[in-house]
Amino acid sequence: MTRKAVKLLLIAATLGVAVALFVRSRPRPGAPAADATEPEPVRPVRHFPPRQAESAPRAALPAGPSAPDGTRELPVVEAEAEPESPFAPVPPAAVVVPPGTAPGVVEIDPDRLPPLPSEPEPSGAPAKRRRSQRVLGGVVAAFVVAAGAVSVLAYRAVDGGDDKAPAGAAVSPMPSVAVGSRPPAFGPLAPQNFTAVGDRSGGSLSRITLDGRRSGVRADVWVWLPPQYKRADFQTKKFPVLMLHSAYPGVGENSLLSGQTSALAKIADGIARGTLPPFVVVAPELTPYTQAELDAAADPSVLDTECSDIPGKAKMATFHNEDVREAVAATFRVTNDRNGWALLGEGAGGLCAAKYALQYPQYYVAGASLSGPTTLKSPLWGAAQAARDGQSLTTLLAAHPDVSLFLSDNTSDTVGRQASNALKAAAAKPTDVETANAGGGTVKQLPSALSFLADTVTDSSGARPPTGTNGKSGNR
């Protein structure tokens, strides 16, 4: 049964019970109405025929004993008491003899008759009856109101399913763009309690275990503040943001923060030399798993969420781009301008960087992928193929978002380079895709990626790094 059918059944059943009780409380046909006064009975016109002459003489009364004067005293005969009539005597004014009436016929005018006697009603009965009727009416009215409220709550309890795409249905290429057209689901977020981890690469590092209120995902997030952030002459500045996405599985500290890739050290060096904007670096965990969950899996790679909201699975895209962004913006002095936000990722995190830039162009101006895949093929998608296709890079690219992508591959990765070049060929303005390759891993590919970010990200102050080669971000 569909959600819409359940809604209709709930409403119909609730209102049906309310109507049934209301009808039951009404007086049945033939029963006396509660408050209606009984109509005065119609008095029939009474016709009295003329008195007939006695057909036989009355019997003579027996004579009593003779008096001395010769008279006889008649016996006293007591008249039988006539039964008391329930009707009042007819007043003379009620006797009317219309002209043309047969002789001896008398007509009684009913309008001039005195009222008929009625049985006395017990004292207080009308008031009690009216009071009970008012109580019954109030109970029925309250039940009808309650039934309406229950219907609304029942409707809302199952609401929303008919308007949303089922698992496996097509997903909008830019789902978060539509969020701005709906009333916000949450109010402003208070500053979050990030815990200081210590100094690193000349800046300060802090961490929080964030409970995403939109995604429901719980994962760690690290934030690195450049040295300028605490300087007195930067206290009114809104800083640009660089999101770092780790290689898979990305549990624990983000791989790009480690000393092995030296990514954070290179970013800090670029900021110090003025070749990069003073980025606030945000590095969330890539996946929602604990290390124990990964260790228990026979093949941890089958748990890859591919930076997506997979139906029935963790909403990692919502966590990274809604929850993390919101927490950072509520806590630190960062710009709200999309031209000041960019993404950088390696491996599976490279897929995040390219995908999120295409999927959330209202949040980011650019994304740089280092040896990241370009297709979605995680077993977690299951039968939700339409949802997977809706979030694929090819589908997102077809929407022509105004962003710039940098796709870097290892020189020996022929398949990866071909896939990156295919995306570049499919791009159309205002989307800009640049490809590169270098021997080695992240360490070798990182300098070109940082140079790309220097050319595309705009500092909130309006100043551009001295190495910028054009005046408009996103078009190279």
Side-chain angles (χ1 to χ4, degrees):
M1 183 178 293
T2 64
R3 290 179 180 268
K4 185 172 293 183
V6 174
K7 299 174 190 175
L8 295 177
L9 286 176
L10 286 172
I11 294 175
T14 308
L15 293 182
V17 172
V19 172
L21 290 180
F22 179 78
V23 171
R24 185 179 180 88
S25 69
R26 305 253 329 194
R28 295 183 298 274
D35 291 328
T37 57
E38 297 183 2
E40 184 178 354
V42 179
R43 295 190 178 95
V45 177
R46 292 181 286 173
H47 298 274
F48 295 87
R51 184 182 298 275
Q52 302 294 328
E54 295 182 0
S55 57
R58 296 184 179 181
L61 296 173
S66 299
D69 57 359
T71 61
R72 290 183 179 184
E73 183 179 354
L74 295 177
V76 178
V77 180
E78 295 182 0
E80 295 181 0
E82 295 183 0
E84 184 178 354
S85 172
F87 299 96
V90 178
V95 180
V96 180
V97 182
T101 305
V105 176
V106 177
E107 183 174 345
I108 305 301
D109 186 357
D111 294 332
R112 300 185 182 183
L113 290 174
L116 291 173
S118 59
E119 293 184 5
E121 189 168 7
S123 175
K128 291 180 180 179
R129 184 165 58 249
R130 287 193 296 270
R131 188 182 305 112
S132 63
Q133 291 160 357
R134 285 195 296 268
V135 171
L136 178 59
V139 170
V140 172
F143 185 87
V144 172
V145 173
V150 170
S151 299
V152 173
L153 292 176
Y155 185 94
R156 291 180 177 177
V158 296
D159 192 21
D162 296 324
D163 299 329
K164 295 179 181 178
V171 178
S172 170
M174 295 187 297
S176 60
V177 175
V179 173
S181 63
R182 301 195 304 265
F186 302 93
L189 185 69
Q192 300 298 290
N193 186 23
F194 282 78
T195 302
V197 175
D199 294 338
R200 187 173 299 186
S201 299
S204 59
L205 187 67
S206 60
R207 182 188 67 83
I208 188 174
T209 300
L210 182 64
D211 291 307
R213 60 175 183 169
R214 288 179 172 82
S215 65
V217 172
R218 179 183 175 87
D220 289 345
V221 180
W222 287 264
V223 172
W224 181 83
L225 301 177
Q228 291 88 340
Y229 190 88
K230 296 182 179 180
R231 281 172 40 180
D233 54 336
F234 280 83
Q235 290 305 301
T236 60
K237 178 180 176 57
K238 298 290 186 179
F239 286 80
V241 177
L242 179 60
M243 299 280 289
L244 299 185
H245 288 289
S246 173
Y248 189 81
V251 173
E253 187 171 281
N254 189 293
S255 64
L256 288 175
L257 295 180
S258 68
Q260 184 176 358
T261 62
S262 66
L264 191 58
K266 286 184 169 58
I267 293 171
D269 181 65
I271 294 174
R273 292 188 292 111
T275 58
L276 284 176
F279 282 122
V280 167
V281 176
V282 179
E285 287 187 297
L286 185 75
T287 57
Y289 311 114
T290 64
Q291 189 61 52
E293 289 173 320
L294 293 170
D295 294 340
D299 182 6
S301 64
V302 301
L303 301 177
D304 191 358
T305 60
E306 296 184 323
C307 298
S308 302
D309 286 357
I310 300 177
K313 308 299 179 182
K315 297 181 178 180
M316 292 311 300
T318 298
F319 177 75
H320 287 149
N321 301 285
E322 301 287 348
D323 294 330
V324 173
R325 177 186 174 91
E326 179 185 54
V328 171
T331 310
F332 303 99
R333 299 192 314 275
V334 296
T335 180
N336 291 322
D337 186 354
R338 65 177 289 270
N339 291 313
W341 284 68
L343 303 124
L344 173 66
E346 66 165 338
L351 172 64
C352 292
K355 179 176 180 289
Y356 290 161
L358 295 173
Q359 192 173 5
Y360 298 89
Q362 74 274 30
Y363 292 162
Y364 309 105
V365 69
S369 170
L370 307 179
S371 297
T374 57
T375 57
L376 303 177
K377 53 186 178 182
S378 172
L380 294 181
W381 290 103
Q385 299 305 310
R388 182 196 66 181
D389 294 342
Q391 297 185 63
S392 70
L393 269 64
T394 302
T395 302
L396 297 172
L397 188 66
H400 309 303
D402 185 12
V403 294
S404 295
L405 294 184
F406 179 81
L407 306 178
S408 177
D409 297 284
N410 194 305
T411 304
S412 61
D413 185 4
T414 303
V415 175
R417 288 190 291 108
Q418 290 176 346
S420 297
N421 289 330
L423 286 177
K424 180 178 180 179
K429 295 297 182 182
T431 309
D432 182 72
V433 178
E434 182 176 339
T435 60
N437 59 83
T442 300
V443 176
K444 297 292 185 180
Q445 299 176 45
L446 192 58
S448 297
L450 294 179
S451 177
F452 163 81
L453 294 174
D455 287 343
T456 55
V457 176
T458 302
D459 193 357
S460 61
S461 64
R464 298 189 59 82
T467 56
T469 58
N470 59 70
K472 187 177 186 300
S473 64
N475 295 290
R476 293 174 61 87

